[in-house]
Amino acid sequence: MAPTTAPDPNASILIIGAGTWGCSTALHLARRGYKNVIILDPYELPSPISAGNDVNKIIEEGSSTSESDDSLSETLRRLATNGWLHDPVFAPHYHNTGYAICAHTPEGLEQLTKHEKIHDNPDFEIIDTPEQFRALMPKGVLTGDFPNWKGGFKKTGAGWVFARGALMSAYHEAKRLGVKFITGPQGDVKTLLVENGDVIGAETADGTRHRASTTILAAGAQAPSLLDVKDQLRPTAWTLAHIKMSKEECALYKDLPVLFNLESGFFMEPDAENGELKICDEHPGYCNWSTNTSGQKINIPFAKHQIPKEAESRVREFLSHTMPQLAERPFSFARICWCADTPDRNFLIDRHPEFRSLVLAIGGSGHGFMHITSVGGFIADAMEGCLDEKLKEAFRWRPETAVGRDWGDVQDRMGGPNKVMDFADVMEWTDIKPDRRYGIAK
């Protein structure tokens, strides 16, 4: 689709948020020749609260020849895959190790069959015995009994990416191409600037008023604090923990396929920087509900480099079923990780219907990082008025989908108590020593 008007390379563009989508947008705009792009963020990069500031994320490639599947999800996977395979900014960070996806209850196995279609996909080898699971990795890695686990193994066309490396690669390339990054209090946006019925920029904590012809809101789970999104976003948090591994263990665990049980958790090989194994416990997420002075129910994200003790228990149960030799090892790091869910888990990338100079780039819905290679292009297309019609329809401003929204909707996610949890109900947190590498103590 051609742009509605010829793009002005000298137009001033302000991006709020230097996380996954903000950096992707900055990179794509710079590559299109825009010369006056500024991005604001309250933290030095990589931001300690960005979901992209992580050692790894799961990736499944889309098919370059799959004309039979023109679904939105497959279209997005194909577009993202092109970047992971061919873009020099991102390709070095993708590891095509394969992955196993599985479940262990009748409900989980039903969802596995419904969404992953492993029995109909010739790329998957069915695995349904403990011996088959243990054989996926070198001897000594998987030693558990895998109680009732069943699933499929995809040997190629899936794996993991070094998330922080990809995020910083996009940042460095955008900066090299001329994008200006302002971080710290000078980049901490406190309010959008509105004049004559339109957004004309943002004001930061130091009192500076940044004006721009176009403002792009890419603030993730923090976006509802800056704009009334009509209940289209639900900030939702997940939990993860790291275990320190020896050099010998890191060598044994290198180049492992991803192991993902959609009811209990996942892991992949230890990171090369710190020799730590990351484990995520799977569940529908946490919110942080409270009531403001007007009696309105609000859900406010916060940063914390600890996890609830109940999440620790889930991680250790996952380890006891897969790698019991690690089940009691102390955590070296843990954090909660925020995203923002739309009611249908499709992205929200559109011009605001009232503030026509404001472009929304929000609603990652738990699968935003995989698209760091391509999502900035969608956002640039939305700004230029040339977004593909199928994507435009899926990503549009759609408050009608949030009328009477069920804030407890698990959105096809499973694990833990199989419900969306509330941090207000958490009685006890882990007490892991402060970790300075992420810039926040506890």
Side-chain angles (χ1 to χ4, degrees):
M1 186 174 175
T4 53
T5 58
D8 177 4
N10 296 309
S12 56
I13 301 172
L14 184 68
I15 303 172
I16 300 172
T20 301
W21 284 19
C23 284
S24 178
T25 303
L27 174 63
H28 279 266
L29 290 173
R31 284 176 164 176
R32 294 188 187 194
Y34 288 95
K35 297 176 170 41
N36 191 6
V37 180
I38 294 176
I39 187 165
L40 305 174
D41 197 277
Y43 296 99
E44 296 287 337
L45 273 77
S47 166
I49 64 170
S50 171
N53 183 7
D54 197 358
V55 294
N56 44 45
K57 302 284 187 185
I58 301 173
I59 294 292
E60 182 182 8
E61 295 178 20
S63 171
S64 60
T65 59
S66 178
E67 297 181 2
S68 62
D69 188 354
D70 63 351
S71 65
L72 177 65
S73 60
E74 180 60 26
T75 298
L76 293 177
R77 271 198 297 268
R78 284 199 300 265
L79 293 169
T81 296
N82 184 63
W84 289 117
L85 295 180
H86 305 298
D87 190 326
V89 168
F90 300 109
H93 304 288
Y94 172 44
H95 301 262
N96 182 6
T97 58
Y99 86 144
I101 185 164
C102 43
H104 61 269
T105 70
E107 296 79 13
L109 292 168
E110 180 181 353
Q111 183 159 318
L112 185 66
T113 302
K114 175 183 174 183
H115 290 287
E116 297 299 325
K117 300 179 174 63
I118 60 173
H119 295 284
D120 302 321
N121 189 334
D123 292 336
F124 279 95
E125 169 193 343
I126 301 303
I127 44 176
D128 57 9
T129 69
E131 292 77 15
Q132 287 175 313
F133 276 100
R134 289 193 288 264
L136 293 174
M137 300 184 187
K139 186 177 181 180
V141 175
L142 298 178
T143 61
D145 55 5
F146 295 89
N148 300 313
W149 284 41
K150 300 180 187 301
F153 175 53
K154 188 176 184 180
K155 188 174 183 179
T156 188
W160 62 277
V161 295
F162 174 33
R164 189 182 311 120
L167 174 66
M168 292 304 288
S169 184
Y171 158 68
H172 287 301
E173 180 64 5
K175 190 173 182 180
R176 186 188 72 80
L177 292 173
V179 174
K180 183 179 180 181
F181 288 77
I182 300 175
T183 58
Q186 299 86 356
D188 186 4
V189 173
K190 294 303 182 183
T191 186
L192 298 176
L193 297 176
V194 179
E195 288 185 5
N196 301 318
D198 199 3
V199 169
I200 51 90
E203 182 173 340
T204 48
D206 65 346
T208 301
R209 295 164 70 87
H210 299 267
R211 294 175 176 267
S213 58
T214 298
T215 300
I216 299 175
L217 182 61
Q222 299 292 339
S225 67
L226 298 172
L227 178 74
D228 181 1
V229 295
K230 307 298 183 184
D231 290 341
Q232 290 176 89
L233 291 188
R234 181 188 68 188
T236 312
W238 284 271
T239 43
L240 63 89
H242 292 189
I243 289 175
K244 188 70 176 177
M245 307 290 277
S246 69
K247 289 183 179 180
E248 293 75 18
E249 287 172 325
C250 287
L252 178 64
Y253 280 59
K254 187 171 176 54
D255 298 326
L256 299 183
V258 176
L259 180 63
F260 176 32
N261 184 314
L262 55 81
E263 299 180 86
S264 59
F266 62 87
F267 82 96
M268 54 213 82
E269 70 179 73
D271 75 295
E273 289 183 335
N274 297 296
E276 293 179 339
L277 185 73
K278 169 188 144 183
I279 310 99
C280 291
D281 58 312
E282 195 69 10
H283 51 74
Y286 286 89
C287 291
N288 184 40
W289 293 109
S290 61
T291 304
N292 63 16
T293 54
S294 302
Q296 181 183 14
K297 189 176 181 180
I298 54 175
N299 179 15
I300 303 175
F302 63 96
K304 193 174 184 70
H305 283 181
Q306 304 290 341
I307 59 174
K309 290 290 284 187
E310 63 197 30
E312 177 182 6
S313 297
R314 290 191 294 266
V315 169
R316 297 199 182 283
E317 182 179 37
F318 173 78
L319 289 171
S320 72
H321 293 162
T322 57
M323 299 173 286
Q325 71 274 19
L326 302 179
E328 299 303 320
R329 191 171 296 189
F331 293 163
S332 55
F333 175 73
R335 70 178 286 205
I336 59 175
C337 179
W338 289 92
C339 195
D341 290 323
T342 62
D344 56 11
R345 293 186 68 186
N346 287 340
F347 303 154
L348 179 49
I349 300 173
D350 197 2
R351 283 193 179 271
H352 192 278
E354 297 175 18
F355 305 130
R356 298 306 295 168
S357 297
L358 177 65
V359 175
L360 304 173
I362 49 182
S365 302
H367 58 109
F369 188 85
M370 175 177 170
H371 304 282
I372 187 175
T373 62
S374 53
V375 74
F378 306 152
I379 295 161
D381 285 347
M383 183 190 80
E384 293 177 350
C386 61
L387 184 61
D388 173 86
E389 285 297 333
K390 180 165 68 174
L391 301 185
K392 183 178 179 181
E393 171 64 19
F395 299 164
R396 74 189 190 286
W397 174 263
R398 48 193 189 280
E400 71 279 1
T401 64
V403 174
R405 183 169 184 178
D406 176 8
W407 295 109
D409 183 6
V410 299
Q411 299 191 307
D412 286 329
R413 298 182 178 112
M414 305 187 77
N418 286 313
K419 68 177 184 179
V420 176
M421 297 164 282
D422 189 347
F423 281 125
D425 298 328
V426 172
M427 303 303 294
E428 189 176 4
W429 294 76
T430 57
D431 186 21
I432 303 165
K433 65 180 181 180
D435 192 307
R436 301 301 178 190
R437 75 191 120 140
Y438 285 86
I440 289 179
K442 291 190 179 182

